[in-house]
Amino acid sequence: MSDLFDSGTPPEVSKAAPRPLADRLRPRSLGEVIGQAQLLGPEAPLGVMLGSGSLSSLVFWGPPGVGKTTIARLLADETDLHFVQISAIFTGVPDLKKVFEAARHRRSNGQGTLLFVDEIHRFNKAQQDGFLPHMEDGTILLVGATTENPSFELNAALLSRAQVLVLERLSLADLERLAQRAEQELGRSLPLDGPAREALLEMADGDGRALLNLVEQVAAWKTDAKLTSDALAKRLMKRAAKYDKSGDEHYNLISALHKSVRGSDPDAALYWLARMLTGGEDPRYLARRITRIAIEDIGLADPQAHTVCLNAWQTYERLGSPEGELALGQAVIYLALAPKSNAGYAGFKAAIRSAAATGSEPPPKHILNAPTGLMKEQGYGAGYAYDHDAEDGFSGQNYFPEAMERATLYDPVERGFERELKKRMAYFDKLRTRRG
């Protein structure tokens, strides 16, 4: 039986046909892999598995161009498993059935199958469930690859049968090693001066495959002199930063913006705001999130903060991009430098919890209106003290349900305007205690 989707050079392609640099430099052993030492070292997860001869199903989670496919292929070589590669983008249920049938036939002949599934998160729930029985009976050893968070994109049942391993973007040192290996393969050095070489590595943005494509372009240029950074920039279009407005990168970057503001770092906050804007994020989404930050993390420590955000939002709506984005940037600076307090946020959540626990308790009768005679007879409004009649405008009466102990929900901090509010609360508590 023929093996569908097996990786390898198609028979119609001549061995003399030119091969991309990335293909020519594909590592032949795990020891040649650049980067991912946190997975491949002797005491790292894959190193331990291979050392003990107990490789389990895996899910590789990481950005593009960091070695997911290469490592999967080499794991098959290390364990004498037949390597089969499919992509969830191009594979349907009939195709999967053929893959599983071929793996069963192979197993009956004494050979196991390592099935590498690229973009595994693209499979729906039913398709993901289809892998389970074949993983459990040993027909396949599954290695999935995804750029999305497996916690959100993969079924719990599949995740319970596979270990998630995180692959990291390549460091500049890793990329430099890869560039040197490429120069050895090409038999010549890149025509770049030092700063231009650093710029080339940064353009790759942690993606080894992207770097090799850039190296291949630069190496093909006919030039006798070494190019500067400016000359390199003119000849190469800078790669677009990785940013998926609906994926992990969206949530990672908005979290970074939020936490930078909370941490009172205007420079970092501006950087993450700019990263999202240049990545194509909707400025209106950012305006909403900035306003949320003002409410949650600044609150009454600076009551003007949310007004600044609303004004920035309105300014953006009137000016549009790119001029209106400056208003959002100024709002971010204001929030980062404002005093911080989540006391109002915490107090509101505490009130919600308390209301849920005591939701059937009525207000005390003395603060209920009594528009009818019957209600007056029932004691509605009896004993109510009109605060404006008190000498200091404060009666000190109880306004919680009679069966409920008085609760302290709002605890202002000693920062910003809340310092003044804390003094006022202490003053009213003193009067309340005095009046019993």
Side-chain angles (χ1 to χ4, degrees):
M1 182 181 297
S2 63
D3 295 322
L4 299 176
F5 310 101
D6 280 15
S7 178
T9 302
E12 67 274 11
V13 178
S14 167
K15 293 182 179 179
R19 295 165 57 203
L21 183 59
D23 185 50
R24 288 151 56 191
L25 286 179
R26 192 178 293 277
R28 295 178 177 82
S29 69
L30 289 171
E32 294 181 8
V33 173
I34 292 177
Q36 313 313 329
Q38 79 284 358
L39 300 182
L40 299 171
E43 300 301 319
L46 287 179
V48 171
M49 286 185 194
L50 293 173
S52 62
S54 60
L55 187 64
S56 63
S57 289
L58 305 166
V59 173
F60 290 157
W61 173 27
V66 296
K68 296 188 289 293
T69 304
T70 294
I71 293 174
R73 186 187 302 274
L74 295 175
L75 286 175
D77 293 342
E78 291 276 348
T79 53
D80 293 325
L81 295 174
H82 186 82
F83 182 78
V84 179
Q85 178 177 353
I86 63 174
S87 170
I89 299 175
F90 303 111
T91 307
V93 173
D95 301 319
L96 285 174
K97 289 181 178 178
K98 293 177 182 177
V99 170
F100 297 143
E101 182 182 352
R104 279 195 297 271
H105 178 76
R106 205 177 292 116
R107 186 185 179 205
S108 67
N109 291 328
Q111 185 175 33
T113 299
L114 187 152
L115 176 60
F116 176 68
V117 184
D118 199 16
E119 305 289 344
I120 191 172
H121 64 277
R122 302 271 190 173
F123 279 136
N124 60 35
K125 184 180 186 301
Q127 290 170 318
Q128 291 180 31
D129 286 343
F131 288 97
L132 303 181
H134 307 289
M135 296 167 64
E136 291 174 347
D137 67 11
T139 300
I140 62 169
L141 188 146
L142 177 68
V143 177
T146 177
T147 56
E148 301 295 329
N149 191 326
S151 302
F152 302 142
E153 304 295 339
L154 299 183
N155 292 351
L158 192 150
L159 286 177
S160 70
R161 293 163 174 81
Q163 182 174 348
V164 176
L165 299 180
V166 180
L167 282 78
E168 299 173 352
R169 66 197 303 272
L170 300 185
S171 67
L172 288 177
D174 293 332
L175 293 172
E176 173 59 29
R177 288 174 57 203
L178 189 56
Q180 292 176 11
R181 187 176 292 179
E183 289 173 323
Q184 292 175 1
E185 172 68 22
L186 294 169
R188 60 186 179 278
S189 299
L190 294 175
L192 303 173
D193 66 13
R197 189 181 182 91
E198 291 180 10
L200 185 74
L201 300 182
E202 290 174 355
M203 283 183 187
D205 199 20
D207 185 328
R209 185 167 49 244
L211 174 66
L212 293 179
N213 291 337
L214 291 170
V215 167
E216 203 161 19
Q217 291 182 57
V218 173
W221 295 341
K222 306 299 182 185
T223 177
D224 295 328
K226 290 190 175 183
L227 300 174
T228 65
S229 297
D230 290 340
L232 179 69
K234 289 179 181 178
R235 292 180 176 226
L236 284 179
M237 290 290 291
K238 181 173 175 62
R239 295 184 72 226
K242 299 185 186 76
Y243 185 72
D244 180 356
K245 289 188 284 184
S246 62
D248 279 348
E249 212 56 21
H250 164 84
Y251 298 105
N252 289 342
L253 267 59
I254 195 60
S255 175
L257 170 61
H258 195 143
K259 289 181 173 66
S260 297
V261 171
R262 183 183 293 154
S264 301
D265 189 335
D267 298 313
L270 278 177
Y271 171 77
W272 294 117
L273 175 70
R275 277 280 298 273
M276 298 189 79
L277 287 171
T278 56
E281 183 58 77
D282 182 358
R284 292 176 179 84
Y285 166 78
L286 291 168
R288 288 193 297 272
R289 185 61 179 245
I290 292 167
T291 305
R292 172 185 159 186
I293 295 172
I295 298 299
E296 290 185 5
D297 288 284
I298 295 169
L300 293 174
D302 185 346
Q304 188 176 338
H306 81 276
T307 303
V308 169
C309 294
L310 292 174
N311 287 341
W313 192 345
Q314 186 177 49
T315 299
Y316 175 80
E317 295 292 353
R318 295 195 176 195
L319 289 181
S321 295
E323 293 83 358
E325 295 168 3
L326 176 59
L328 300 181
Q330 291 174 349
V332 163
I333 294 171
Y334 187 95
L335 297 185
L337 295 176
K340 306 298 186 298
S341 172
N342 72 340
Y345 183 41
F348 181 73
K349 290 197 295 183
I352 293 293
R353 291 193 298 270
S354 182
T358 61
S360 60
E361 293 291 342
K365 286 185 177 180
H366 65 269
I367 65 172
L368 297 178
N369 292 328
T372 68
L374 175 62
M375 296 174 76
K376 288 181 180 178
E377 291 176 4
Q378 294 296 317
Y380 283 41
Y384 172 63
Y386 189 56
D387 288 80
H388 293 291
D389 290 340
E391 180 179 355
D392 44 23
F394 181 77
S395 67
Q397 282 197 308
N398 175 51
Y399 301 100
F400 279 95
E402 293 176 355
M404 177 180 170
E405 291 187 11
R406 178 176 179 79
T408 300
L409 303 176
Y410 175 53
D411 185 18
V413 299
E414 286 281 358
R415 290 187 294 276
F417 183 69
E418 279 200 328
R419 182 183 292 112
E420 177 62 28
L421 297 182
K422 194 174 188 72
K423 293 178 183 176
R424 297 181 193 180
M425 290 188 67
Y427 169 73
F428 289 130
D429 284 342
K430 183 179 180 180
L431 290 181
R432 190 177 289 111
T433 301
R434 183 184 304 167
R435 291 167 190 179

